Amino acid sequence: MRSLLFRNCLKTKNLFSRVSLKQTTFFKTNFSTRPPLSLLSQEEQLIRETVKKFAHENVKPFVSKMDKESTLEPSIISGLFENGLMGIEIGENYGGANLSFTSSIIVIEELAKIDPAVSVVCDVQNTLVNNLVCRWGSKYIRDTYLPKLATNTVGSFCLSEAESGSDAFALKTRAEKKGNKYIINGTKLWITNSGEAGVFLVMANVNPSQGYRGITTFVVDRGTAGLQIGKKEDKLGIRASSTCSVILENVEVPEENVLGEVGKGYKYAIETLNEGRIGIGAQMIGLAQGVFDATMPYIFERKQFGSAVGDFQGMQHQYAQIATEIEAARLLVYNAARLKEANEPFVKQAAMAKLYSSQVAEKAASKCIEWLGGVGFTKEFPVEKYFRDSKIGAIYEGTSNIQLQAIAKIIKSEY
């Protein structure tokens, strides 16, 4: 069933899909005809408007409560599914919205303006879990899991372990082949969406002697014997998003639940995370814009020395600088998304987008607390939450140092 949110969107085509091959070639030589990166198609504008409405009406009333209790409101999860936000790129034949990668980025950004914790739930589902299943799943896996992921089942991407964070392929989880099944043993840590997930994409090594070339991806259902959800982390930020350990003890998985080819899990993880970094970039620019929007009205309402705080030149220079950096980060994110959609190289741009947008988000949130003064340091205003939420941008899906390393490696190859 098509979502209510995107029913009208599906009647139109993406801006770039309306361009003929001849026009596309012309675009490459006539720069005056290229649409600006931030100019949205009618479909994309509708997506932004409808997600904004959903976030304000269905997410915003619960933000403080979810942060305090470190839980995700069930009605928000069901609302995400009902509105097609958990299967954005999944085909209509599987119950998805059949929209573009850039559409996912717009959704993630818009949700993050209200609550980055809800945004990351949507982000991981679309840019990691759904992406893996759509690209490399067998017909059986696609037919079995895509309808669930599009309509009612949260997915979880299980890669990180105690000894494999940035060194992701040092993972210790093992999968032993026995007949037509694999027996998986190991523990995954810091797994997003694990508290709500109904299906887990687990990276395990089937042949440790081959190093990372033994890593394979398995699709594991939540109810499988031996799979347990462990400790839920008491986090600094994005507290409504569950982050737990996933324990696998003699978990039996049929061989048909191998995702893609045996031994190619490392390749799938790398390629998927490259796209996922654009999603985190979108989350961070949404956060930066959200905290900016929550702060600016106050500094024009509050008066000191007979003038609005926001009218003092020292303040004007500060918020002009932050607004410029948010815009620059947004252009990096949108450029990476458009490149990915056009099947052009985008890995360097994705790393740059995640790196810079996470820096801007943290800086914007910190500055907004300062601009608000004393009230910014209290929980009476939402700004301190944005500040706590911002820190994760420099950590997950590749730390800032890992992004710098990736960027430097590609730059070196260009020379």
Side-chain angles (χ1 to χ4, degrees), residues 153-371:
T153 303
V154 176
S156 196
F157 180 83
C158 303
L159 176 62
S160 297
E161 298 181 7
E163 297 181 24
S164 60
S166 292
D167 185 11
F169 301 134
L171 60 84
K172 303 296 184 184
T173 298
R174 300 291 180 253
E176 181 183 357
K177 182 74 180 295
K178 286 191 175 181
N180 61 353
K181 296 181 179 179
Y182 285 87
I183 311 300
I184 303 177
N185 283 281
T187 299
K188 299 293 182 177
L189 296 181
W190 310 107
I191 305 304
T192 302
N193 291 355
S194 49
E196 299 80 23
V199 61
F200 300 82
L201 304 186
V202 177
M203 304 290 175
N205 202 317
V206 301
N207 190 347
S209 66
Q210 292 187 346
Y212 69 88
R213 294 186 182 278
I215 296 173
T216 303
T217 308
F218 297 88
V219 183
V220 185
D221 292 302
R222 187 183 186 95
T224 305
L227 186 149
Q228 304 173 53
I229 307 303
K231 174 191 173 185
K232 183 177 181 179
E233 301 296 339
D234 186 10
K235 305 191 300 294
L236 171 72
I238 59 168
R239 291 173 55 79
S241 165
S242 64
T243 305
C244 313
S245 58
V246 176
I247 303 159
L248 303 111
E249 296 181 346
N250 294 319
V251 173
E252 293 188 6
V253 180
E255 59 184 355
E256 58 263 31
N257 275 40
V258 170
L259 185 67
E261 298 180 40
V262 173
K264 292 294 181 68
Y266 74 96
K267 175 180 182 292
Y268 304 154
I270 289 173
E271 294 188 18
T272 301
L273 286 170
N274 284 334
E275 298 181 20
R277 285 165 182 165
I278 307 174
I280 298 302
Q283 181 200 25
M284 291 294 110
I285 60 174
L287 186 158
Q289 190 65 60
V291 72
F292 193 81
D293 292 345
T295 301
M296 292 304 292
Y298 181 87
I299 69 172
F300 292 112
E301 293 170 2
R302 178 165 170 75
K303 295 185 182 298
Q304 292 287 277
F305 306 103
S307 297
V309 173
D311 287 335
F312 289 106
Q313 188 181 62
M315 286 293 294
Q316 290 174 331
H317 290 179
Q318 291 184 59
Y319 62 71
Q321 180 67 39
I322 292 298
T324 300
E325 293 182 21
I326 293 173
E327 182 69 9
R330 180 176 291 110
L331 291 174
L332 279 172
V333 171
Y334 281 25
N335 183 54
R338 301 293 193 196
L339 285 171
K340 185 270 174 188
E341 230 172 56
N343 294 316
E344 296 289 340
F346 68 91
V347 175
K348 180 177 74 173
Q349 289 79 5
M352 288 177 169
K354 181 186 183 292
L355 171 71
Y356 187 65
S357 62
S358 65
Q359 293 170 344
V360 170
E362 186 174 344
K363 181 178 179 180
S366 178
K367 283 296 183 182
C368 285
I369 289 176
E370 293 178 21
W371 300 344

